[in-house]
Amino acid sequence: MLLYPMEDVLRKNDLERSQRIATEAAKLFNEAQIEVNKERVVAAERVGYFCAGAISLSFTLIGYLFSNTEAKLVLNSNISEFISLLDLLILGWINLSISIVLSLLIRLWNASYINYSNAEYWTSKQRQHEDRVFKSIETGYIPLSIDVSLNDAITNVKNSRDNFEDLEKISSKKASFWLKTINLTQASIYVGSVLGFIFLIYFLIIVNFRLIL
């Protein structure tokens, strides 16, 4: 029976405990990343809902203002030589509409990102497995599952590894593309909503100020 020094046993137990902690931390981080991704998509969608609500309310307000003769005159006025008061309203609607459209598409684009991200992970693990099999065969060991000659086994595993490597590269590029698309879409949703609300608020402030005066 082989006996180990106490220090080696303690060191081995410490390393195993450290590995378990690291593995658990990696698992928790991965779960957190998934939740963060979901929350970002949900938040962007909710911004789209608020933008749609703002446009709906503004249509109701405009209908009321146009029914009022004095307010109608104010709406037809200008705030500068080249910009009319209605231009502010239209700019607000355009920005809010962009946010709404993008909020409807972001879940679809996020699904594409998740698909290619998982495909990249799967193909990378398959490639690594084929690498190990290839190295084993090169040393003269043929796995029991491979019932062919040594040369044929090397050729088959090499082709399989190359195929997975090509798929991994393609999946990586597409996952990167969709991730950039999602980030740009989220930024556009928030920028569009902020600009849209600014234009609408500015429009309402000017209308109320001129009606009061």
Side-chain angles (χ1 to χ4, degrees):
M1 182 177 179
L2 183 62
L3 297 178
Y4 295 95
M6 182 58 67
E7 291 184 1
D8 290 344
V9 173
L10 293 176
R11 189 179 294 110
K12 179 176 178 294
N13 292 336
D14 184 63
L15 288 174
E16 290 177 349
R17 183 170 58 255
S18 177
Q19 182 61 46
R20 287 195 299 269
I21 293 174
T23 301
E24 184 65 23
K27 180 181 177 181
L28 291 175
F29 178 75
N30 184 57
E31 293 175 351
Q33 289 294 96
I34 294 174
E35 289 300 319
V36 167
N37 180 65
K38 290 181 180 178
E39 291 300 323
R40 290 176 65 186
V41 172
V42 170
E45 287 182 328
R46 288 177 178 173
V47 171
Y49 298 153
F50 287 126
C51 292
I55 291 179
S56 178
L57 290 174
S58 65
F59 271 115
T60 302
L61 176 62
I62 293 303
Y64 170 76
L65 293 176
F66 271 112
S67 65
N68 185 292
T69 304
E70 184 179 356
K72 190 174 181 180
L73 294 175
V74 171
L75 292 175
N76 290 326
S77 63
N78 296 332
I79 59 176
S80 69
E81 185 178 355
F82 303 102
I83 302 176
S84 67
L85 187 57
L86 286 178
D87 288 339
L88 286 178
L89 180 63
I90 294 173
L91 287 173
W93 282 346
I94 291 174
N95 282 278
L96 293 176
S97 297
I98 291 174
S99 294
I100 293 171
V101 172
L102 292 178
S103 69
L104 295 175
L105 295 173
I106 190 169
R107 187 174 290 273
L108 177 63
W109 292 343
N110 187 63
S112 297
Y113 163 68
I114 293 175
N115 176 62
Y116 287 112
S117 178
N118 288 332
E120 178 188 3
Y121 178 78
W122 175 73
T123 52
S124 68
K125 295 304 178 184
Q126 293 295 328
R127 177 187 54 78
Q128 292 171 12
H129 171 69
E130 296 298 333
D131 280 335
R132 294 187 180 94
V133 175
F134 184 74
K135 291 177 181 178
S136 297
I137 295 176
E138 281 188 322
T139 60
Y141 169 73
I142 301 180
L144 296 177
S145 59
I146 302 179
D147 189 18
V148 294
S149 64
L150 180 61
N151 291 333
D152 289 341
I154 291 176
T155 301
N156 293 339
V157 173
K158 185 177 183 302
N159 290 336
S160 179
R161 183 191 63 182
D162 292 341
N163 289 335
F164 280 120
E165 186 175 7
D166 292 338
L167 289 174
E168 181 184 0
K169 291 179 180 179
I170 294 173
S171 300
S172 178
K173 289 180 180 179
K174 290 187 176 181
S176 178
F177 168 78
W178 286 113
L179 179 60
K180 292 178 181 178
T181 301
I182 292 171
N183 291 334
L184 180 61
T185 299
Q186 288 176 331
S188 299
I189 289 174
Y190 289 111
V191 171
S193 62
V194 170
L195 289 177
F197 281 115
I198 288 175
F199 284 126
L200 287 184
I201 292 173
Y202 191 30
F203 167 80
L204 292 175
I205 290 175
I206 294 177
V207 168
N208 283 301
F209 181 77
R210 292 183 177 180
L211 283 176
I212 293 174
L213 295 181

